[in-house]
């Protein structure tokens, strides 16, 4: 069993080779592999692993959760001889954390960062016979200055920390490209003007070349245009609404993208000259606008109440890697069946295949990166580098509406008073806005916020049902702007010293976490119940306090599934509902529709 779906849904080419499946594998606990030339094609390893699953997972075939900071991979493969006149690109979806790549015994390149894709042109290293790719990975198990998110720096999972993921955890693949090819595509919707702003780059000799742009909506051709390539970088603005009022969303959703109407446009770019087609790339986009106004979040210029669920993105057999593409789709469908319109992907940069299904099915996503536990100049630099790559990879996905660079002061533990850590939060906030003007950015989700587009608050102080006074205090804290801004969940102020609320929307972005054990597993939750009836009653009790608030303009409930020792999910770790999904949906939809009437 291995992942077989096309890994890059926003930039699709017809020809590719999937390298997932069985690779040879070895631990290198003494870190002697490079010295002893383990990258040599003739050297065999003593184990096998099922890529793209980390050695800690069951599906990998190894299932060893202990520390191994250095590991090696090797794979032999053959290429289609018809590709011999093209450039050959080797892609890695994600490798945690540092990776050195070799082809046929020769060093090709290095990448640092465990959550984003990277690639190398390996054409000059090929023999056009039996080829070998080798990979040396270093994942420092106890280093608290690398972005690690929920991956624990101690050997056994505990509290809110889970099993680590080392090495390859997303698809490895190869594609052939012409020496003249399309190298990037950036699609920016302008809902107010009805335009899609198109940017693309062409690599190689662009003389006597042109790009044909074809855009379809529900299989109907709406644009066909030809662009003469004068420079490597090209930009065009193309009007889609074309003075048709019902396309604009003024009276109804029109052609815009939303969870209720996930309208997508298909776009195809064909690079050609007078003699032949040089490259062809297919993608898609959605016309979606997100902004804040009057203390509310607006989607496509209408106030929109977000009902999100916290999603850790872990699976019992694959950890960070979904066992199949269908598992991404299943999580979104189950969430929607409970009345949620989106998720906050927590401490994880999710696989682009999940984002594809969110785009297609209609599901809002808050994108978040793994944090380092501690602060240092190196930690700040590493996180910054990853955010540049994250925004670049995921920019075209309409489902992503918010970026969350910092969570609960992780990686900036003294941000309340420490100006250096405050500057780091501000730097990330402004950096992301400088890279992406189309989305909201939260400076520190939970508490101790600096400059931010959403006042995102975490509060689990609702207590169990019998804790009446605790619940009354929770209700009171949500009752007015003054009370919520003066509250101190987890003993932390809502804003860091020197920063204050400036009218941004207030959302409760973590709460709930009701612990409910349905099997023999042991674990914990923020509160606990004994059966499904109690669970529904407690869920309703907590949601009633949230919906009664006139201050909150959305929420994110903790959490979608159980994960390892955490049993506070709406679903079990293997995605079985703990209660009837329809009853959760009834509670979620009882008070608020998603579109708010001003």
């Amino acid at each position: 069993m291995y992942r077989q779906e096309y890994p890059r849904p926003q930039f699709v080419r017809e020809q590719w080779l999937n390298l997932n499946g069985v690779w040879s594998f070895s631990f290198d606990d003494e870190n002697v592999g490079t010295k002893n030339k383990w990258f040599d094609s003739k050297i065999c390893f003593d184990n096998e692993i099922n890529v793209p699953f980390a050695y800690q997972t069951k599906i990998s075939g190894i299932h060893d959760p202990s520390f191994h900071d250095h590991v090696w991979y090797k794979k032999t493969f053959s290429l289609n001889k018809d590709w011999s006149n093209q450039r050959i690109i080797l892609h890695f979806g994600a490798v945690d954390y540092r990776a050195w790549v070799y082809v046929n015994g020769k060093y090709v390149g290095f990448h640092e960062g465990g959550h984003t894709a990277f690639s190398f042109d390996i054409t000059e290293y090929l023999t056009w016979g039996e080829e070998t790719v080798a990979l040396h990975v270093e994942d420092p198990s106890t280093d608290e200055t690398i972005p690690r998110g929920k991956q624990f720096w101690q050997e056994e999972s505990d509290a809110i920390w889970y099993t680590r993921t080392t090495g390859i955890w997303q698809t490895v693949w190869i594609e052939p490209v012409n020496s003249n090819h399309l190298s990037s595509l950036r699609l920016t919707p302008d809902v107010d003007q009805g335009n899609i702003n198109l940017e693309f780059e062409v690599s190689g000799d662009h003389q006597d070349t042109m790009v044909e742009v074809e855009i379809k909506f529900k299989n109907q051709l709406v644009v066909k245009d030809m662009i003469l390539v004068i420079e490597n970088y090209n930009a065009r603005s193309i009007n889609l609404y074309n003075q048709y009022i019902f396309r604009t969303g003024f009276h109804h959703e029109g052609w815009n993208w939303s969870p209720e109407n996930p309208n997508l446009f298909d776009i195809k770019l064909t690079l050609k000259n007078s003699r032949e087609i040089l490259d062809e790339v297919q993608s898609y986009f959605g016309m979606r606008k997100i902004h804040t106004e009057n203390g509310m979040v607006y989607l496509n210029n209408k106030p929109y109440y977000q009902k999100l669920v916290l999603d850790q993105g872990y699976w019992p057999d694959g950890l960070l890697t979904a066992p199949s593409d269908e598992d991404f789709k299943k999580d979104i469908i189950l969430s929607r069946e409970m009345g949620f319109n989106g998720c906050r992907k927590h401490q994880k940069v999710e696989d682009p295949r999940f984002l594809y299904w969110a785009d297609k099915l209609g599901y809002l996503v808050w994108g978040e990166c793994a944090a380092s536990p501690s602060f240092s100049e190196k930690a700040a630099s590493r996180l910054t580098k990853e955010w540049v790559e994250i925004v670049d990879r995921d920019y075209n996905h309409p489902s992503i509406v918010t970026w969350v660079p910092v969570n609960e002061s992780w990686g900036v533990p003294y941000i309340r008073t420490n100006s250096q850590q405050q500057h780091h939060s501000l730097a990330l906030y402004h950096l992301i806005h400088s890279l992406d003007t189309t989305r909201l950015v939260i400076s520190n989700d939970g508490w101790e916020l600096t400059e931010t587009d959403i006042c995102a608050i975490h509060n689990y102080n609702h207590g169990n049902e019998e804790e009446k006074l605790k619940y009354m205090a929770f209700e009171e804290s949500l009752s007015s702007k003054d009370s919520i801004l003066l509250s101190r969940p987890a003993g932390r102020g809502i804003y860091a010293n020197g920063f204050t609320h400036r009218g941004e929307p207030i959302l409760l972005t973590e709460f709930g976490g009701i612990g409910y054990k349905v099997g023999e597993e042991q674990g914990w939750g923020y509160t606990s119940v004994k059966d499904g009836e109690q669970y529904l009653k407690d869920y309703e009790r907590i949601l009633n306090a949230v919906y009664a608030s006139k201050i909150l303009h959305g929420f994110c409930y903790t959490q979608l599934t159980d994960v390892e020792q955490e049993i506070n999910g709406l679903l079990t770790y293997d995605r079985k509902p703990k209660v009837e999904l329809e009853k959760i949906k009834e509670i979620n939809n009882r008070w608020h529709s998603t579109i708010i009437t001003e």
Side-chain angles (χ1 to χ4, degrees):
M1 180 173 93
Y2 64 92
R3 295 277 297 275
Q4 301 181 46
E5 67 283 346
Y6 189 84
R8 192 183 56 193
Q10 278 280 359
F11 201 79
V12 178
R13 289 190 174 98
E14 184 177 345
Q15 293 185 310
W16 69 294
L17 175 65
N18 191 345
L19 293 185
N20 288 345
V22 177
W23 290 49
S24 56
F25 179 83
S26 183
F27 296 122
D28 183 13
D29 294 339
E30 303 302 319
N31 191 21
V32 297
T34 303
K35 178 181 177 182
N36 293 337
K37 299 183 178 180
W38 287 13
F39 47 80
D40 192 297
S41 304
K42 298 175 183 177
I43 293 179
C44 298
F45 295 155
D46 55 4
N47 212 335
E48 290 185 340
I49 189 168
N50 182 19
V51 167
F53 300 97
Y55 77 77
Q56 293 96 335
T57 69
K58 294 178 184 177
I59 309 179
S60 72
I62 297 176
H63 196 204
D64 178 356
S66 58
F67 286 170
H68 297 285
D69 286 9
H70 292 268
V71 299
W72 284 78
Y73 297 78
K74 193 173 288 185
K75 174 86 168 179
T76 58
F77 61 94
S78 297
L79 293 170
N80 187 331
K81 295 297 193 296
D82 292 341
W83 297 356
S84 60
N85 62 342
Q86 301 193 73
R87 309 302 298 181
I88 304 300
I89 313 299
L90 173 62
H91 296 273
F92 294 86
V95 179
D96 199 351
Y97 174 69
R98 298 185 182 99
W100 293 261
V101 179
Y102 303 82
V103 172
N104 294 324
K106 297 178 181 178
Y107 174 70
V108 173
F110 168 79
H111 181 263
E112 178 174 341
H115 308 95
T116 52
F118 59 97
S119 61
F120 300 106
D121 185 334
I122 62 171
T123 310
E124 307 306 324
Y125 303 90
L126 298 173
T127 66
W128 293 98
E130 185 178 78
E131 318 286 359
T132 302
V133 57
L135 184 72
H136 170 210
V137 175
E138 180 191 18
D139 186 23
S141 301
T142 60
D143 189 343
E144 295 185 33
T145 66
I146 64 173
R148 54 190 321 121
K150 290 301 192 85
Q151 300 184 58
F152 203 18
W153 51 96
Q154 298 180 20
E155 281 208 287
E156 294 188 9
S157 300
D158 188 44
I160 62 172
W161 315 106
Y162 314 142
T163 305
R164 291 159 304 286
T165 290
T166 294
I168 298 170
W169 66 277
Q170 290 183 29
T171 292
V172 185
W173 56 294
I174 281 174
E175 68 174 345
V177 297
N178 196 293
S179 57
N180 299 343
H181 61 273
L182 295 158
S183 55
S184 69
L185 174 63
R186 185 177 171 100
L187 299 161
T188 305
D190 182 348
V191 168
D192 293 337
Q193 298 297 322
N195 295 337
I196 183 68
N197 297 320
L198 169 72
E199 299 171 86
F200 63 87
E201 292 184 276
V202 177
S203 293
D205 182 7
H206 57 264
Q207 289 187 349
D208 187 35
T209 59
M210 58 199 75
V211 170
E212 182 181 87
V213 179
E214 186 177 282
I215 299 176
K216 293 183 178 181
F217 181 71
K218 297 182 178 179
N219 294 319
Q220 173 190 348
L221 184 65
V222 293
V223 171
K224 191 167 185 176
D225 202 356
M226 193 72 74
I227 300 170
L228 182 65
V229 178
I230 306 297
E231 303 286 349
N232 293 101
Y233 169 80
N234 298 266
R236 292 292 187 278
S237 182
I238 299 173
N239 187 264
L240 299 171
Y241 297 162
N242 203 24
Q243 299 182 349
Y244 290 104
I245 189 64
F246 287 149
R247 294 182 181 182
T248 66
F250 182 77
H251 292 291
H252 48 73
E253 282 301 309
W255 284 12
N256 293 335
W257 184 97
S258 70
E260 293 71 33
N261 294 280
N263 294 317
L264 294 175
F265 292 78
D266 296 310
I267 181 169
K268 181 171 71 173
L269 272 64
T270 305
L271 177 67
K272 60 176 73 174
N273 58 28
S274 57
R275 300 174 301 281
E276 61 180 333
I277 291 176
L278 303 171
D279 194 11
E280 186 172 278
V281 168
Q282 298 192 53
S283 187
Y284 65 88
F285 62 89
M287 295 295 289
R288 187 267 303 129
K289 177 185 177 183
I290 193 86
H291 78 284
T292 64
E293 186 179 331
N294 300 323
M296 292 182 284
V297 176
Y298 281 62
L299 180 65
N300 301 329
N301 293 321
K302 298 175 183 176
Y304 195 89
Y305 194 95
Q306 295 178 78
K307 303 176 184 179
L308 310 179
V309 63
L310 195 72
D311 183 356
Q312 308 279 2
Y314 272 72
W315 286 265
D317 293 338
L319 298 178
L320 286 178
T321 308
S324 72
D325 192 49
E326 194 66 23
D327 288 296
F328 291 132
K329 184 179 179 181
K330 180 180 179 181
D331 278 4
I332 294 171
I333 290 172
L334 288 170
S335 178
R336 285 176 56 90
E337 286 178 355
M338 289 185 281
F340 296 103
N341 53 32
C343 73
R344 175 174 157 226
K345 272 290 176 180
H346 191 36
Q347 287 297 294
K348 179 190 181 185
V349 182
E350 192 53 277
D351 190 307
R353 294 296 309 183
F354 174 87
L355 300 173
Y356 164 78
W357 285 114
D359 296 337
K360 194 172 181 65
L361 297 174
Y363 194 63
L364 301 176
V365 178
W366 287 18
E368 188 172 332
C369 181
S372 60
S374 301
F375 180 83
S376 71
E377 289 77 11
K378 283 185 178 180
S381 175
R382 288 166 178 161
L383 185 61
T384 301
K385 175 181 178 293
E386 294 223 32
W387 268 107
V388 173
E389 296 179 359
I390 290 164
V391 175
D392 181 62
R393 191 198 75 172
D394 293 339
Y395 180 86
N396 290 341
H397 289 283
S399 57
I400 300 177
V401 293
T402 303
W403 296 118
V404 185
V406 181
N407 168 71
E408 289 186 347
S409 302
W410 294 4
V412 282
Y414 305 113
I415 191 173
R416 183 177 72 85
T417 58
N418 184 295
S419 62
Q420 183 182 21
Q421 295 182 19
Q422 290 178 0
H423 280 303
H424 179 50
S425 168
L426 288 167
L428 287 172
Y429 172 83
H430 290 295
L431 169 71
I432 295 171
H433 269 305
S434 75
L435 299 172
D436 182 357
T437 62
T438 70
R439 294 178 173 93
L440 307 179
V441 181
I442 298 174
S443 64
N444 187 8
D445 201 295
W447 43 67
E448 296 175 335
L449 291 143
T450 56
E451 188 173 348
T452 187
D453 297 332
I454 290 177
C455 176
I457 298 173
H458 299 178
N459 191 337
Y460 292 96
N461 295 332
H462 33 70
N464 288 306
E465 184 181 10
E466 63 273 13
E467 297 178 288
K468 306 294 186 185
L469 292 178
K470 198 170 186 180
Y471 181 73
M472 289 173 61
F474 177 71
E475 279 188 308
E476 174 60 28
S477 72
L478 305 180
S479 63
S480 70
K481 184 173 78 170
D482 287 344
S483 60
I484 201 168
L485 294 176
L486 290 172
S487 65
R488 295 182 59 82
R492 308 278 190 131
I494 302 303
Y495 285 85
N497 287 5
F499 298 88
T500 187
H501 185 251
R502 301 180 305 163
E504 54 266 20
I506 301 173
L507 277 71
L508 188 64
T509 53
E510 280 192 36
F511 69 104
I514 303 168
Y516 174 27
K517 183 178 75 170
V518 297
E520 297 303 316
E521 74 279 1
Q522 298 300 312
W524 67 277
Y526 291 92
T527 62
S528 61
V529 296
K530 294 180 179 179
D531 56 40
E533 184 178 350
Q534 272 193 341
Y535 188 96
L536 286 168
K537 186 176 181 181
D538 211 40
Y539 185 83
E540 182 175 24
R541 175 181 71 94
I542 296 168
L543 263 292
N544 282 345
V546 173
Y547 278 146
S549 172
K550 304 296 184 184
I551 303 304
L552 297 177
H553 290 282
F555 66 78
C556 180
Y557 178 82
T558 304
Q559 61 187 358
L560 181 61
T561 73
D562 294 349
V563 184
E564 297 190 349
Q565 68 278 356
E566 291 188 25
I567 55 169
N568 52 13
L570 291 153
L571 311 171
T572 63
Y573 200 6
D574 58 356
R575 276 50 177 182
K576 291 183 174 62
K578 293 185 177 182
V579 295
E580 291 182 43
L581 302 185
E582 185 62 35
K583 291 185 176 179
I584 295 292
K585 182 176 184 178
E586 181 185 334
I587 296 168
N588 281 343
N589 291 345
R590 188 172 298 165
W591 288 61
H592 271 284
S593 65
T594 53
I595 305 297
I596 304 169
T597 302
E598 292 183 276

